[in-house]
Amino acid sequence: MAGDGVWGPVTVVNAVREALEKLSENGKVPVKESDLLSYIDKVLVGVNAGRTDVVKALIVLETLGYVRVASSGWRERIIVYRPRG
């Protein structure tokens, strides 16, 4: 999983993308940020990512065209994963 990269641990950006791919069923359903954080914390062993790290990763992924992030209230974001390829 996340800690088993060939050259070293998987980066937070790749861990977030992997989690979004799984949670969104490859782009079929939107993902709440709180669900993403919970998944990373519980499932992706070896990834030390707090909310700030995840937000930074989401900015990178949005810039690269993998996700679209929208606000859904004061402290929640909705993430739409866009599979590529």
Side-chain angles (χ1 to χ4, degrees), residues 16-17 19-21 23-25 27-37 40 54-55 57-59 61-62 66-72 76-82:
V16 169
R17 189 195 55 75
L20 285 170
E21 187 175 300
L23 290 170
S24 72
E25 299 173 15
K28 294 179 184 162
V29 294
V31 178
K32 293 189 310 186
E33 181 185 28
S34 56
D35 293 339
L36 175 62
L37 290 167
I40 290 170
V54 171
V55 169
L58 288 172
I59 291 168
L61 290 170
E62 190 166 31
Y66 282 99
V67 300
R68 184 175 52 83
V69 181
S71 179
S72 175
E76 187 73 84
R77 291 178 183 86
I78 300 296
I79 305 138
V80 177
Y81 177 69
R82 301 174 178 172

Side-chain angles (χ1 to χ4, degrees), residues 2-20:
D4 299 329
V6 174
W7 300 106
V10 174
T11 65
V12 173
V13 173
N14 286 337
V16 169
R17 189 195 55 75
E18 179 183 311
L20 285 170

